[in-house]
Amino acid sequence: MEFRPILNALLRNKTGLLLIALQVAITLAIVCNSVFIILQRIEKVNRPSGMDEQSLFTITSLGFAPDFDLRGSLRQDLEALRSIPGVVDATTINSVPLSNGGWSEGLETQPDSVPQEQRKNTPTALYIVDEHGVNTLGAHLVAGRDFTADDVSYRSRDDKGTPNSVIVTQALADQLYPDGNALGRPIYSGLGGKGSSTTIVGILERLQAPWVGWDKVEHAMLVPQYQDGEFDSSARYLIRTEPGRRDEVMKQAERKLGEVNTGRIVRGLRSIEEVRGESYRQDRAMTIVLTTVIFSLLAVTGLGIVGMVSFWVTRRVKQIGTRRALGARRFDIRRYFMVENVIVVGIGIALGLLMTYGFNLWLMKHYELPRLAWYYAPLGALTVLLLGQLAVFGPATRASRVSPAVATRTV
Amino acid sequence: MFTYYLRLAMISLKRNRILTALMVTAIALGIGMSMTSMTVLHMMASNPMSYKDEQVRRVQLDNWDVNEPWDEDNPTEPPDLMTYQDANNLVQAHKAEHEAAFFPNVLPLEPDKREIKPYMVEALFTTSGFFPIFEPPFRYGTGWTPAEDRNAARVAVIDSETNDKIFGGENSVGRKLRLGGEDFTVVGVLEKWRPTPRVYHVANGAFNDPQSVFVPFAFGIEKQLNSNSNNSCYKDSGPGYQGLLTSDCIWIDMWVQVKDEADAQRYLSFLNDYVGEQKKAGRFPRPVNNRVYTVSQFLEAQRVVGRDVRTQVWLAFAFFAVCLINTVGLLLAKFMGKAPEIGLRRAVGASKPAVFAQYLTESGLVGVAGGLLGLVLTGLGLLALRKLYAGTSIEKLAELDWTMVGLSLLIALVASLIAGLYPTWRACQVQPATQLKTQ
């Protein structure tokens, strides 16, 4: 192999070498880190929420008539909703999972009598539902029992009710009671007024909090209550339909609620699919933007190499012709340029690896991104190496077609 | 002379179309990518109150839990919102030029006209100081007075859209409007007003539109409303609405207007004294940690500029760098390929500066072409971003403004001239003699 002569020739054109190497380096750094960010986002967007998203939708009723009877309206609405053909179940709910708006509460496992410094406060998302909550969500109960009608109390502005039982997610249970025996144990919170405790009666396999960007997104708790004018005279309903019948039921639900009571405004009709799409739109958009950047970058770098090598070939036509006249095969000429490219891109890769890890460190510091897995850099390096070979193939082939006769001509 | 160089440059660029196309495309892609992300950042990072940044101050008091700071990632940061009792006390004390305490919620609006169905409007329940502090432009009328704050007068300021819808766009000052089951008198109608970001209330969406209706804070309290945006408690509140009002739950935005930095410091020491007093009453368990942030400090502390957007800008500029390096390489290749021509021109008397000027003209021409094409790409990029981010705050920010158009062209030109400098300099180094020898 003519390794040394190639290197010598290259070193005589340091600028061109440096320009391509620099491009390759930056490309490598950006591609590795972008792919890393993309895969992380995809993982986030695809994680399960713990509910039957395809068949769920939500709708809100807001009473404005001065004599609006919220308690009666809740009963009426739920009955009306559950009687629509195609509806599996319906519940009231204070906020919708994945909707980015909700209620968080701090939970403690020790009573107020223990000094505050010794108590640990675990935050969780709170869903206030009735005894149809678990079934409507389509959540999977892995231990304990579901709520019964007896569990459900009213929660009004003046009376927070007495929630004696709650259902928590497995992740929250493990956080509260790391020994693994959360079932039947108490939790202390401000839910039922000062110093009240409530018992964990059931554990869900999974249910996500409303805030998709929250680091404790797997912390959720179901509380069996009806909100009776605690903040205003509104009620939000969550409805599960039979598979494939959601859209048809949504239209009917809106119409029916409108007919049941005219002293209110019915609004906020949205499928959970829609809610999910909106909450993850930023992440989805970011993956598309980054993918665009990656491909444009590879294209620009590739075309740059094509341009530079074409020029080098043109400049060396005479030299190539001479070599051909001296017995070099076409294959040798092509190999010359391809080996040359490996060297140039290799220098770029060496520089690029430094940049890749530097960029990753910067992202870790400012964006709380984890460390790049070890295989990204070698895979990225292989990619740009292949890109370089692909780019050089055309001009190198053209070089190999230079006729030996050129050597005998003056330009 | 310049037109002559321009003509030569055109001829030269036309001669090697593929190389020219490559260079122009590279610059255009770089410009398109970086300008697209810059536009979004530019809109996000803007401060619509910058003209009175020193006067408008966000008041933050640290009334949080003694063990758990408000923000675990940033434990020195006090809570961003305020309790009712503190907001009320600070407004009553009136130690600043103006005070604005407010919270958003919705109110049913029942129009007189039967053909318009009752609907919900986003309302801001605010003290009268809101209007002099944030200076929304009025089409008709004005805000209300502190006296009207005190007796929870049924007065409202409405935005132009609501005015168009309910009053057909007429001067509706003095007319009645039915809100939340009561009759309000319209005292002011705003012009179109869309501060970006919506500095006064950045919780739940810094890039959302302002509320449509503004009514007195005291009315909201009378109606026993709380914020439909953010409510946070670190400990249990007492029963009922009274329990909420006397609790340490935070849900109110609080701003004041001061004269200058010195006045702000005076206000801060007033706040510290106030918290000292409250400590005696058993509140404020944490060390004294109050803020009178300027608008820009507040936007910074609230991280209004999204991380994704910042990352995109960095990536875009790295991309731009690659495109420029690419262009340098291609220009270099091109100019060196012209060595015989340059040699000939130098031999027949062209000076170095003349050669320099000509090749720089050629680089500049590439830059202008790249910039123009880049502008088209920026437009397409923003269009794509609007589609991608439809329904989120970024959608509204992806709009081209003329500063950015000018900036892109300038950057393209300057960048291509810089890119052209080294190749041009190399071109000038061509020795007339060496090139002529082989002819």
Side-chain angles (χ1 to χ4, degrees):
Chain A
M1 278 265 269
E2 54 278 81
F3 204 77
R4 274 214 67 90
I6 294 179
L7 201 61
N8 284 338
L10 266 178
L11 287 178
R12 261 192 282 147
N13 186 1
K14 286 197 205 73
T15 325
L17 170 86
L18 192 75
L19 290 175
I20 291 188
L22 212 55
Q23 277 188 63
V24 168
I26 301 177
T27 304
L28 180 63
I30 294 182
V31 169
C32 281
N33 282 286
S34 298
V35 170
F36 184 54
I37 296 176
I38 288 175
L39 291 182
Q40 280 209 319
R41 295 297 170 99
I42 289 179
E43 199 186 330
K44 181 180 168 196
V45 170
N46 288 335
R47 64 191 177 185
S49 64
M51 53 178 179
D52 181 12
E53 290 174 28
Q54 299 300 315
S55 314
L56 283 171
F57 71 92
T58 174
I59 193 165
T60 307
S61 139
L62 213 148
F64 65 85
D67 53 348
F68 187 75
D69 168 26
L70 183 60
R71 204 175 279 210
S73 151
L74 280 174
R75 289 276 172 210
Q76 247 181 330
D77 288 349
L78 282 170
E79 232 165 79
L81 288 170
R82 287 173 190 148
S83 70
I84 297 173
V87 168
V88 173
D89 211 344
T91 181
T92 53
I93 194 163
N94 64 318
S95 74
V96 177
L98 309 181
S99 68
N100 275 331
W103 180 343
S104 85
E105 185 77 32
L107 306 181
E108 290 172 2
T109 52
Q110 283 171 304
D112 274 0
S113 51
V114 175
Q116 200 171 22
E117 291 76 21
Q118 290 166 29
R119 283 178 293 168
K120 207 178 101 203
N121 198 299
T122 307
T124 180
L126 202 74
Y127 296 115
I128 302 180
V129 296
D130 68 5
E131 74 273 19
H132 296 263
V134 173
N135 187 38
T136 307
L137 283 161
H140 184 43
L141 206 59
V142 288
R145 64 169 178 88
D146 198 352
F147 295 135
T148 66
D150 291 338
D151 289 316
V152 186
S153 61
Y154 281 94
R155 182 183 180 88
S156 68
R157 183 164 281 159
D158 300 313
D159 180 11
K160 293 184 174 178
T162 46
N164 294 320
S165 47
V166 292
I167 295 177
V168 299
T169 59
Q170 186 73 58
L172 180 58
D174 292 344
Q175 187 71 37
L176 288 167
Y177 291 103
D179 59 7
N181 299 313
L183 205 63
R185 305 269 287 271
I187 51 167
Y188 300 86
S189 69
L191 267 180
K194 268 196 167 41
S196 70
S197 83
T198 135
T199 310
I200 299 173
V201 298
I203 295 177
L204 293 179
E205 183 186 16
R206 176 193 290 271
L207 183 63
Q208 286 186 329
W211 313 280
V212 297
W214 195 30
D215 59 345
K216 300 181 179 70
V217 70
E218 302 291 336
H219 284 194
M221 178 164 89
L222 301 184
V223 179
Q225 284 191 316
Y226 288 115
Q227 276 183 307
D228 182 11
E230 186 178 13
F231 301 116
D232 49 28
S233 48
S234 71
R236 179 175 281 125
Y237 302 107
L238 187 71
I239 298 108
R240 177 147 75 110
T241 69
E242 286 162 14
R245 298 188 67 177
R246 186 194 66 204
D247 295 347
E248 124 201 22
V249 174
M250 279 175 78
K251 286 191 207 95
Q252 286 191 44
E254 188 176 29
R255 208 180 50 233
K256 202 146 185 178
L257 285 191
E259 287 164 5
V260 169
N261 191 331
T262 49
R264 52 105 172 268
I265 294 166
V266 174
R267 59 182 210 150
L269 179 72
R270 283 161 88 215
S271 71
I272 300 305
E273 230 175 350
E274 224 176 298
V275 172
R276 182 184 193 103
E278 261 164 49
S279 290
Y280 285 114
R281 182 154 286 154
Q282 294 234 15
D283 296 295
R284 219 173 288 243
M286 185 73 172
T287 61
I288 296 174
V289 169
L290 290 182
T291 313
T292 316
V293 169
I294 291 175
F295 281 104
S296 321
L297 203 52
L298 290 176
V300 166
T301 307
L303 289 176
I305 293 176
V306 173
M308 279 298 263
V309 176
S310 302
F311 166 70
W312 285 343
V313 169
T314 324
R315 284 232 309 194
R316 291 184 206 158
V317 163
K318 212 170 161 187
Q319 178 201 341
I320 296 165
T322 313
R323 282 195 61 207
R324 292 276 282 128
L326 291 174
R329 292 162 300 167
R330 290 195 163 175
F331 170 76
D332 296 321
I333 303 294
R334 188 191 283 153
R335 193 181 59 184
Y336 178 93
F337 283 99
M338 298 189 81
V339 170
E340 182 187 69
N341 184 263
V342 169
I343 296 173
V344 176
V345 173
I347 294 171
I349 286 172
L351 196 62
L353 288 179
L354 290 177
M355 284 192 193
T356 305
Y357 288 110
F359 190 26
N360 182 231
L361 280 178
W362 184 81
L363 285 173
M364 280 165 65
K365 190 162 168 258
H366 295 271
Y367 297 87
E368 285 140 34
L369 230 66
R371 185 178 296 281
L372 205 65
W374 66 270
Y375 47 83
Y376 280 91
L379 279 180
L382 196 67
T383 309
V384 287
L385 207 62
L386 284 177
L387 175 76
Q389 291 298 295
L390 200 69
V392 85
F393 191 79
T397 307
R398 205 145 42 76
S400 70
R401 298 219 182 93
V402 169
S403 146
V406 171
T408 59
R409 259 186 248 146
T410 49
V411 180
Chain B
M1 222 38 192
F2 180 68
T3 43
Y4 172 63
Y5 292 148
L6 211 58
R7 218 171 61 227
L8 280 181
M10 292 288 262
I11 293 168
S12 160
L13 287 176
K14 264 189 208 151
R15 203 179 317 153
N16 202 334
R17 281 163 208 264
I18 293 174
L19 208 58
T20 307
L22 269 179
M23 291 190 287
V24 171
T25 316
I27 289 193
L29 276 174
I31 288 284
M33 196 83 76
S34 35
M35 284 305 124
T36 303
S37 51
M38 272 300 282
T39 302
V40 176
L41 182 74
H42 171 69
M43 301 280 268
M44 267 196 166
S46 65
N47 174 2
M49 299 303 296
S50 57
Y51 68 100
K52 54 190 288 197
D53 200 51
E54 218 173 58
Q55 284 86 48
V56 180
R57 299 289 180 140
R58 176 79 170 188
V59 181
Q60 292 177 228
L61 305 180
D62 198 344
N63 69 323
W64 219 239
D65 189 348
V66 65
N67 295 316
E68 313 262 338
W70 162 250
D71 180 1
E72 290 208 30
D73 294 334
N74 205 352
T76 56
E77 194 64 19
D80 56 340
L81 295 168
M82 204 176 276
T83 66
Y84 169 75
Q85 44 178 335
D86 294 323
N88 196 39
N89 289 343
L90 295 183
V91 171
Q92 298 301 331
H94 190 47
K95 297 284 187 206
E97 281 186 58
H98 302 287
E99 287 93 0
F102 52 82
F103 63 91
N105 206 325
V106 290
L107 277 177
L109 191 160
E110 298 167 75
D112 275 345
K113 294 184 213 153
R114 298 274 350 107
E115 61 269 25
I116 310 176
K117 281 213 294 188
Y119 69 103
M120 304 304 296
V121 283
E122 291 281 336
L124 196 72
F125 298 83
T126 179
T127 57
S128 54
F130 181 85
F131 303 101
I133 294 179
F134 295 103
E135 300 181 354
F138 279 91
R139 180 174 291 171
Y140 308 116
T142 56
W144 57 84
T145 63
E148 284 167 311
D149 273 334
R150 280 192 288 279
N151 52 29
R154 287 357 185 201
V155 286
V157 169
I158 60 178
D159 71 351
S160 58
E161 255 173 66
T162 308
N163 193 49
D164 290 348
K165 192 163 172 178
I166 306 296
F167 300 109
E170 289 169 29
N171 182 349
S172 58
V173 171
R175 306 264 304 257
K176 294 282 181 220
L177 187 65
R178 199 158 175 81
L179 283 170
E182 297 195 41
D183 280 328
F184 277 69
T185 306
V186 176
V187 292
V189 178
L190 297 184
E191 294 278 0
K192 241 184 169 22
W193 182 54
R194 205 170 140 352
T196 311
R198 190 181 62 183
V199 278
Y200 66 86
H201 180 77
V202 299
N204 86 338
F207 301 98
N208 290 345
D209 289 331
Q211 284 73 19
S212 317
V213 168
F214 301 81
V215 292
F217 183 78
F219 166 71
I221 301 301
E222 207 182 291
K223 287 284 266 187
Q224 305 208 335
L225 293 174
N226 68 348
S227 169
N228 72 343
S229 170
N230 274 24
N231 295 282
S232 305
C233 308
Y234 71 87
K235 65 179 180 195
D236 183 29
S237 64
Y241 193 67
Q242 204 52 40
L244 172 69
L245 294 188
T246 54
S247 72
D248 263 309
C249 298
I250 55 168
W251 50 290
I252 292 165
D253 288 85
M254 176 89 199
W255 294 87
V256 295
Q257 179 166 322
V258 293
K259 288 190 194 69
D260 48 30
E261 180 57 35
D263 200 27
Q265 288 310 317
R266 181 194 56 78
Y267 196 78
L268 181 62
S269 58
F270 156 69
L271 289 177
N272 292 343
D273 291 346
Y274 168 77
V275 168
E277 282 298 311
Q278 293 288 315
K279 273 176 177 290
K280 287 183 198 149
R283 294 182 63 224
F284 290 88
R286 295 179 72 77
V288 174
N289 179 28
N290 304 317
R291 299 290 150 86
V292 279
Y293 277 147
T294 63
V295 176
S296 39
Q297 285 167 339
F298 176 66
L299 294 177
E300 177 73 32
Q302 293 296 308
R303 300 211 175 105
V304 164
V305 178
R307 289 172 169 182
D308 278 5
V309 175
R310 273 194 213 275
T311 316
Q312 284 172 16
V313 169
W314 279 104
L315 283 176
F317 275 94
F319 181 81
F320 194 26
V322 171
C323 294
L324 275 188
I325 296 170
N326 204 312
T327 311
V328 175
L330 295 176
L331 278 176
L332 190 65
K334 179 143 204 240
F335 291 174
M336 291 325 285
K338 291 222 190 124
E341 188 189 313
I342 298 169
L344 184 63
R345 282 196 59 205
R346 295 272 283 119
V348 296
S351 67
K352 266 192 187 184
V355 174
F356 194 82
Q358 197 221 306
Y359 284 91
L360 214 53
T361 309
E362 196 173 325
S363 316
L365 206 58
V366 171
V368 171
L372 285 174
L373 189 61
L375 216 54
V376 176
L377 291 181
T378 307
L380 288 176
L382 289 173
L383 209 67
L385 271 193
R386 275 207 292 280
K387 274 233 140 52
L388 276 180
Y389 284 99
T392 72
S393 50
I394 293 181
E395 181 193 3
K396 294 177 200 155
L397 301 181
E399 272 168 25
L400 200 59
D401 65 1
W402 289 106
T403 354
M404 295 314 275
V405 172
L407 200 61
S408 349
L409 285 177
L410 192 70
I411 290 182
L413 185 63
V414 171
S416 59
L417 288 180
I418 293 173
L421 268 183
Y422 179 72
T424 308
W425 178 77
R426 282 285 295 268
C428 291
Q429 302 309 306
V430 171
Q431 294 298 318
T434 51
Q435 291 302 324
L436 290 175
K437 259 191 291 186
T438 52
Q439 296 282 323

